[in-house]
Short mmCIF file of all heavy atoms in Angstrom, two decimals:
data_model
loop_
_atom_site.label_atom_id
_atom_site.label_comp_id
_atom_site.label_asym_id
_atom_site.label_seq_id
_atom_site.Cartn_x
_atom_site.Cartn_y
_atom_site.Cartn_z
N LEU A 10 64.88 100.71 -31.46
CA LEU A 10 63.95 101.05 -32.54
C LEU A 10 62.59 100.51 -32.15
O LEU A 10 62.42 99.30 -31.96
CB LEU A 10 64.41 100.44 -33.87
CG LEU A 10 63.46 100.61 -35.04
CD1 LEU A 10 63.34 102.09 -35.43
CD2 LEU A 10 63.95 99.80 -36.23
N LYS A 21 59.82 89.42 -45.89
CA LYS A 21 61.28 89.35 -45.87
C LYS A 21 61.69 88.45 -44.72
O LYS A 21 60.89 88.11 -43.86
CB LYS A 21 61.90 90.75 -45.66
CG LYS A 21 61.59 91.75 -46.74
CD LYS A 21 62.39 91.45 -47.97
CE LYS A 21 62.16 92.52 -49.02
NZ LYS A 21 62.90 92.24 -50.23
N SER A 22 62.96 88.08 -44.69
CA SER A 22 63.43 87.25 -43.58
C SER A 22 64.76 87.78 -43.06
O SER A 22 65.48 88.49 -43.74
CB SER A 22 63.56 85.79 -44.00
OG SER A 22 64.53 85.66 -45.00
N LEU A 23 65.03 87.40 -41.82
CA LEU A 23 66.23 87.81 -41.12
C LEU A 23 66.77 86.58 -40.41
O LEU A 23 66.00 85.79 -39.86
CB LEU A 23 65.85 88.90 -40.10
CG LEU A 23 66.89 89.41 -39.15
CD1 LEU A 23 67.94 90.21 -39.90
CD2 LEU A 23 66.22 90.30 -38.11
N ILE A 32 60.13 89.07 -41.30
CA ILE A 32 59.98 90.48 -40.97
C ILE A 32 59.32 91.20 -42.14
O ILE A 32 59.23 90.67 -43.24
CB ILE A 32 61.33 91.14 -40.63
CG1 ILE A 32 62.30 91.07 -41.82
CG2 ILE A 32 61.94 90.52 -39.37
CD1 ILE A 32 63.60 91.84 -41.62
N THR A 33 58.88 92.43 -41.88
CA THR A 33 58.24 93.22 -42.93
C THR A 33 59.28 93.87 -43.83
O THR A 33 60.46 94.01 -43.47
CB THR A 33 57.37 94.33 -42.33
OG1 THR A 33 58.20 95.23 -41.62
CG2 THR A 33 56.30 93.76 -41.41
N HIS A 34 58.83 94.30 -44.99
CA HIS A 34 59.70 95.01 -45.93
C HIS A 34 60.26 96.28 -45.28
O HIS A 34 61.45 96.58 -45.43
CB HIS A 34 58.91 95.36 -47.20
CG HIS A 34 59.66 96.24 -48.13
ND1 HIS A 34 60.64 95.75 -48.97
CD2 HIS A 34 59.62 97.57 -48.33
CE1 HIS A 34 61.15 96.76 -49.67
NE2 HIS A 34 60.54 97.87 -49.30
N ASN A 35 59.41 97.02 -44.56
CA ASN A 35 59.87 98.27 -43.95
C ASN A 35 60.94 98.03 -42.88
O ASN A 35 61.92 98.78 -42.80
CB ASN A 35 58.70 99.03 -43.33
CG ASN A 35 57.79 99.63 -44.38
OD1 ASN A 35 58.17 99.77 -45.54
ND2 ASN A 35 56.58 99.96 -43.99
N LEU A 36 60.77 97.00 -42.07
CA LEU A 36 61.79 96.69 -41.06
C LEU A 36 63.08 96.26 -41.73
O LEU A 36 64.17 96.68 -41.33
CB LEU A 36 61.29 95.61 -40.09
CG LEU A 36 62.26 95.21 -38.98
CD1 LEU A 36 62.74 96.41 -38.19
CD2 LEU A 36 61.61 94.18 -38.07
N HIS A 37 62.98 95.47 -42.77
CA HIS A 37 64.16 95.05 -43.53
C HIS A 37 64.89 96.28 -44.08
O HIS A 37 66.12 96.39 -43.99
CB HIS A 37 63.73 94.12 -44.66
CG HIS A 37 64.84 93.57 -45.46
ND1 HIS A 37 65.26 94.14 -46.63
CD2 HIS A 37 65.64 92.49 -45.26
CE1 HIS A 37 66.27 93.45 -47.13
NE2 HIS A 37 66.52 92.44 -46.30
N ALA A 38 64.14 97.23 -44.63
CA ALA A 38 64.73 98.43 -45.21
C ALA A 38 65.45 99.27 -44.16
O ALA A 38 66.57 99.74 -44.39
CB ALA A 38 63.66 99.25 -45.91
N ILE A 39 64.83 99.46 -42.99
CA ILE A 39 65.48 100.28 -41.96
C ILE A 39 66.71 99.57 -41.40
O ILE A 39 67.71 100.22 -41.08
CB ILE A 39 64.51 100.71 -40.84
CG1 ILE A 39 65.10 101.84 -40.00
CG2 ILE A 39 64.13 99.56 -39.95
CD1 ILE A 39 65.31 103.12 -40.69
N LEU A 40 66.67 98.25 -41.30
CA LEU A 40 67.86 97.52 -40.83
C LEU A 40 69.02 97.70 -41.80
O LEU A 40 70.17 97.90 -41.39
CB LEU A 40 67.55 96.04 -40.64
CG LEU A 40 66.67 95.70 -39.43
CD1 LEU A 40 66.28 94.24 -39.47
CD2 LEU A 40 67.39 96.05 -38.14
N ARG A 41 68.75 97.67 -43.08
CA ARG A 41 69.80 97.90 -44.08
C ARG A 41 70.31 99.33 -43.99
O ARG A 41 71.50 99.58 -44.12
CB ARG A 41 69.30 97.57 -45.48
CG ARG A 41 69.05 96.08 -45.67
CD ARG A 41 68.65 95.73 -47.08
NE ARG A 41 69.65 96.09 -48.06
CZ ARG A 41 70.74 95.37 -48.36
NH1 ARG A 41 70.96 94.24 -47.73
NH2 ARG A 41 71.57 95.77 -49.29
N HIS A 42 69.42 100.27 -43.75
CA HIS A 42 69.80 101.67 -43.64
C HIS A 42 70.66 101.93 -42.40
O HIS A 42 71.58 102.76 -42.44
CB HIS A 42 68.54 102.55 -43.61
CG HIS A 42 68.82 104.00 -43.48
ND1 HIS A 42 69.28 104.76 -44.53
CD2 HIS A 42 68.73 104.83 -42.42
CE1 HIS A 42 69.46 106.01 -44.12
NE2 HIS A 42 69.13 106.07 -42.85
N LEU A 43 70.36 101.25 -41.31
CA LEU A 43 71.08 101.46 -40.04
C LEU A 43 72.39 100.68 -39.95
O LEU A 43 73.11 100.84 -38.99
CB LEU A 43 70.18 101.10 -38.86
CG LEU A 43 68.96 101.99 -38.65
CD1 LEU A 43 68.08 101.43 -37.54
CD2 LEU A 43 69.38 103.42 -38.35
N ARG A 44 72.67 99.86 -40.93
CA ARG A 44 73.88 99.04 -40.91
C ARG A 44 75.12 99.92 -41.07
O ARG A 44 75.18 100.80 -41.92
CB ARG A 44 73.83 98.03 -42.05
CG ARG A 44 75.04 97.14 -42.10
CD ARG A 44 74.99 96.23 -43.29
NE ARG A 44 73.88 95.28 -43.14
CZ ARG A 44 73.50 94.47 -44.09
NH1 ARG A 44 74.09 94.48 -45.26
NH2 ARG A 44 72.52 93.64 -43.87
N TYR A 45 76.10 99.69 -40.22
CA TYR A 45 77.40 100.37 -40.35
C TYR A 45 78.31 99.47 -41.17
O TYR A 45 78.51 98.31 -40.83
CB TYR A 45 78.04 100.61 -38.99
CG TYR A 45 77.34 101.59 -38.09
CD1 TYR A 45 77.32 101.41 -36.72
CD2 TYR A 45 76.70 102.71 -38.61
CE1 TYR A 45 76.69 102.32 -35.89
CE2 TYR A 45 76.07 103.62 -37.78
CZ TYR A 45 76.07 103.41 -36.42
OH TYR A 45 75.44 104.31 -35.60
N PRO A 46 78.88 99.99 -42.24
CA PRO A 46 79.72 99.14 -43.09
C PRO A 46 81.06 98.76 -42.46
O PRO A 46 81.68 97.77 -42.84
CB PRO A 46 79.93 99.98 -44.34
CG PRO A 46 79.75 101.39 -43.89
CD PRO A 46 78.75 101.34 -42.76
N HIS A 50 77.31 97.03 -34.30
CA HIS A 50 76.64 97.72 -33.21
C HIS A 50 75.37 96.95 -32.89
O HIS A 50 74.88 96.15 -33.69
CB HIS A 50 76.36 99.19 -33.54
CG HIS A 50 75.39 99.41 -34.66
ND1 HIS A 50 74.17 99.98 -34.47
CD2 HIS A 50 75.46 99.15 -35.98
CE1 HIS A 50 73.53 100.06 -35.62
NE2 HIS A 50 74.30 99.56 -36.55
N LEU A 52 71.38 96.64 -31.92
CA LEU A 52 70.06 97.26 -32.02
C LEU A 52 69.08 96.46 -31.18
O LEU A 52 69.11 95.23 -31.18
CB LEU A 52 69.57 97.27 -33.47
CG LEU A 52 70.35 98.10 -34.46
CD1 LEU A 52 69.85 97.84 -35.88
CD2 LEU A 52 70.22 99.58 -34.12
N ILE A 54 65.14 95.99 -31.09
CA ILE A 54 63.96 96.29 -31.88
C ILE A 54 62.79 95.55 -31.27
O ILE A 54 62.79 94.31 -31.18
CB ILE A 54 64.17 95.87 -33.35
CG1 ILE A 54 65.39 96.60 -33.90
CG2 ILE A 54 62.93 96.13 -34.18
CD1 ILE A 54 65.87 96.08 -35.23
#
Side-chain angles (χ1 to χ4, degrees):
L10 175 66
K21 298 285 184 181
S22 64
L23 174 69
I32 61 173
T33 64
H34 172 79
N35 288 342
L36 181 54
H37 183 265
I39 195 65
L40 287 172
R41 291 185 60 81
H42 179 76
L43 293 174
R44 180 184 293 172
Y45 293 145
H50 66 114
L52 295 172
I54 302 169

